[in-house]
Amino acid sequence: MSNTPTPSPWHHIAAKAAMVLAILQALLILVSWIVSSAMPGLGVRSLLASEGIRWFFDHFQDHLSSPLLAWLILLPIGIGSYYHSGLHKTLCALVRGKSLTLRQRYGLAIVFIELLLFLLVMVLLTCVGHGLLLSGTGQLFPSPFSRSVVPALAFIATMGALTYGVLSRRITTLSSAMDILTRGFIPMLPLYVVYIVATQLWHSLRYVCDF
């Protein structure tokens, strides 16, 4: 009897998306070579030329290093911690009017205080005087605030989840804390493959078309 886990529908979708993107990458390489050879006046650059090959290998790592990659690392930590610390289940129980234990109520109260403090700090950094997180012209978008809002949300979700987990006794050891922090990566793993292929395709297209 096979011990291989059955892929989820999400895995099938991610696999098909990665395959389509990989096929498009191969077609782009072929088309860029044909067009650059047959119609050099169009200014299309070939990915099979020596310059194109050198560019692809030289910039591969740089293309992956983007704000989106940071989001793909931070968000699974925050979202996974929120779900697996028990905070999500407790909030759902609260909304449904179910009774909570003393530890659960105490944990939620501390998390609520943390959230209020986080919101207060963000208001002070963006709305009081010339906020430190505003742009040089005093705008929110684009600004340090807009560039840090996703990491900030991931941070407060992670801190709230860890706080609740400790206070509710869901987290009792450093190992259990690390387990909760990393569980969110498991369902996200196929997306990393899609991200790698999609990123290389996008930058390859920009190189070929020179834009």
Side-chain angles (χ1 to χ4, degrees):
M1 211 174 161
S2 176
N3 291 323
T4 304
T6 303
S8 66
W10 161 237
H11 283 73
H12 288 297
I13 294 172
K16 290 179 180 179
M19 181 182 67
V20 170
L21 292 169
I23 292 173
L24 291 175
Q25 177 75 40
L27 289 174
L28 179 62
I29 294 173
L30 179 61
V31 170
S32 70
W33 173 66
I34 293 175
V35 174
S36 63
S37 300
M39 294 173 283
L42 291 179
V44 173
R45 294 190 285 189
S46 173
L47 286 168
L48 289 178
S50 57
E51 183 183 352
I53 295 174
R54 200 161 43 239
W55 168 87
F56 186 83
F57 281 91
D58 187 37
H59 293 85
F60 187 91
Q61 180 174 301
D62 296 333
H63 296 160
L64 296 179
S65 304
S66 70
L68 181 57
L69 178 60
W71 296 357
L72 290 176
I73 294 174
L74 295 174
L75 285 177
I77 296 176
I79 296 172
S81 300
Y82 167 73
Y83 276 96
H84 296 288
S85 66
L87 181 56
H88 173 72
K89 184 181 293 185
T90 301
L91 287 174
C92 289
L94 181 65
V95 171
R96 296 191 186 103
K98 295 182 178 180
S99 60
L100 302 178
T101 65
L102 180 60
R103 288 189 182 277
Q104 289 175 325
R105 292 197 298 270
Y106 180 63
L108 282 182
I110 299 300
V111 170
F112 182 68
I113 293 173
E114 288 181 341
L115 179 59
L116 287 180
L117 290 175
F118 170 77
L119 293 175
L120 177 61
V121 170
M122 297 306 291
V123 169
L124 291 175
L125 291 175
T126 55
C127 299
V128 177
H130 185 75
L132 294 177
L133 294 185
L134 298 178
S135 67
T137 57
Q139 296 178 335
L140 273 177
F141 300 94
S143 68
F145 169 79
S146 65
R147 288 188 289 271
S148 64
V149 64
V150 173
L153 291 175
F155 171 77
I156 189 59
T158 302
M159 290 304 299
L162 290 178
T163 299
Y164 178 80
V166 171
L167 295 177
S168 65
R169 297 295 184 178
R170 185 73 176 261
I171 298 175
T172 55
T173 64
L174 289 175
S175 298
S176 59
M178 182 59 66
D179 178 63
I180 285 175
L181 287 171
T182 55
R183 280 195 187 186
F185 286 103
I186 297 175
M188 293 290 291
L189 291 177
L191 189 57
Y192 291 105
V193 178
V194 176
Y195 168 78
I196 292 171
V197 183
T199 300
Q200 296 308 320
L201 175 61
W202 168 245
H203 286 285
S204 296
L205 182 62
R206 292 187 62 187
Y207 173 82
V208 169
C209 299
D210 194 19
F211 67 88

